[in-house]
Amino acid sequence: MEFAKPQKCTATVVSKEKISAKVYLVRFSVPTTLSFIAGQTMMMYVAPGVNRVMSISSSPFEIGSIEMIHDVSPGGPGSQWTISAKIGDTIQIMVPLGRFVLSDTDAPKVLVATGTGVAPYYSMMRQLHHDGKQISIKLYWGLRFEEDIFWQKEFETFERDNSEFSFSFTLSQPSSLWDGKRGHVTEQVIKDIETLRNSEFYLCGNKKMVDEMKARLLESNIEKERIYSELFF
């Protein structure tokens, strides 16, 4: 697979939306010369000496536009930039970075995410949806509370339009009203492991989840060559 050379450019905010209790979706206009593969990232130059790497949630077919989601709960310089960002604001970015992309094999894909680690998968599904490709994909997504859920309708649309795609939420700290899956997302994957053995596994989220999921998959005799990961801290 050929990866485009990273370019540094100016990105201009064209929209900002709060899509959950602590997550913003920000869309930028960018030069039409930029290209990336679904799953890749961009670096934001927030301030002198302060950089943040963000997964791209938009699809590569959206020329001249790029989108990210940002969990601002850490409250650092990057979070403050996103919270205060207004339409027309500009920021320097570097695109594309990373190699966390779907392989070209016919193997079923298992996507495991926590929080905003779902962003690259959203990009992947948008691209597949645009291309009309039907490949076997199961998304396991771990969050803490009901208020953390976003993109539910969007993933339901992917599920409706692609018979080979399914997704589920797992909440680690739900209210008593939650009637869905409870606990940690790693446990849900291992629970289904016998039906997933021929799959490739993609892990994106916090370090604890990624490390634990890798260890549990290896313990379950999943070859390390079929495990791909991306970290968020």
Side-chain angles (χ1 to χ4, degrees):
M1 187 176 296
E2 186 175 347
F3 293 89
K5 183 178 179 180
Q7 300 181 49
K8 190 173 183 180
C9 67
T10 299
T12 303
V13 177
V14 295
S15 67
K16 186 178 81 169
E17 177 186 2
K18 194 172 186 181
I19 58 174
S20 79
K22 59 185 180 182
V23 175
Y24 284 89
L25 183 151
V26 184
R27 179 174 287 274
F28 303 90
S29 62
V30 294
T32 57
T33 54
L34 285 188
S35 64
F36 64 94
I37 299 171
Q40 288 192 286
T41 63
M42 67 180 190
M43 179 177 287
M44 299 173 58
Y45 295 89
V46 178
V50 181
N51 306 326
R52 293 291 183 270
V53 175
M54 310 295 294
S55 279
I56 300 168
S57 57
S58 50
S59 170
F61 73 82
E62 301 176 65
I63 304 300
S65 179
I66 208 165
E67 182 183 277
M68 70 165 188
I69 55 172
H70 194 172
D71 179 347
V72 298
S73 58
S79 299
Q80 292 304 315
W81 185 90
T82 294
I83 291 170
S84 62
K86 298 178 178 61
I87 293 175
D89 285 354
T90 60
I91 189 169
Q92 292 295 298
I93 65 171
M94 180 79 77
V95 184
L97 300 170
R99 294 172 178 265
F100 187 70
V101 301
L102 291 179
S103 75
D104 293 328
T105 71
D106 293 329
K109 319 296 183 189
V110 174
L111 316 179
V112 187
T114 52
T116 52
V118 77
Y121 305 144
Y122 189 53
S123 177
M124 293 169 184
M125 291 309 303
R126 290 169 85 172
Q127 183 65 60
L128 291 171
H129 183 73
H130 176 265
D131 294 343
K133 291 185 178 179
Q134 301 265 328
I135 62 175
S136 178
I137 295 179
K138 294 183 183 297
L139 168 63
Y140 293 80
W141 187 6
L143 298 160
R144 290 183 179 178
F145 313 108
E146 288 97 322
E147 66 185 24
D148 294 332
I149 293 174
F150 56 94
W151 283 343
Q152 181 170 356
K153 291 182 179 179
E154 287 82 354
F155 280 115
E156 287 173 348
T157 297
F158 293 144
E159 191 172 49
R160 184 192 67 223
D161 295 343
N162 184 346
S163 61
E164 296 295 314
F165 173 71
S166 64
F167 79 102
S168 62
F169 297 112
T170 302
L171 301 189
S172 60
Q173 300 178 48
S175 72
S176 58
L177 300 177
W178 176 251
D179 61 359
K181 295 179 180 179
R182 296 169 176 262
H184 291 101
V185 69
T186 51
E187 295 300 330
Q188 296 300 327
V189 176
I190 295 303
K191 181 180 177 181
D192 297 341
I193 197 66
E194 291 306 319
T195 65
L196 305 174
R197 287 201 170 276
N198 295 323
S199 305
E200 295 172 346
F201 295 80
Y202 296 78
L203 320 177
C204 190
N206 65 67
K207 186 176 188 299
K208 182 178 179 181
M209 182 280 285
V210 171
D211 288 347
E212 180 181 349
M213 193 75 259
K214 278 184 180 179
R216 297 293 297 275
L217 289 172
L218 292 172
E219 289 171 2
S220 300
N221 297 316
I222 301 299
E223 297 90 342
K224 64 180 181 179
E225 292 78 14
R226 290 194 287 125
I227 304 173
Y228 307 85
S229 64
E230 184 89 316
L231 292 176
F232 283 81
F233 295 91

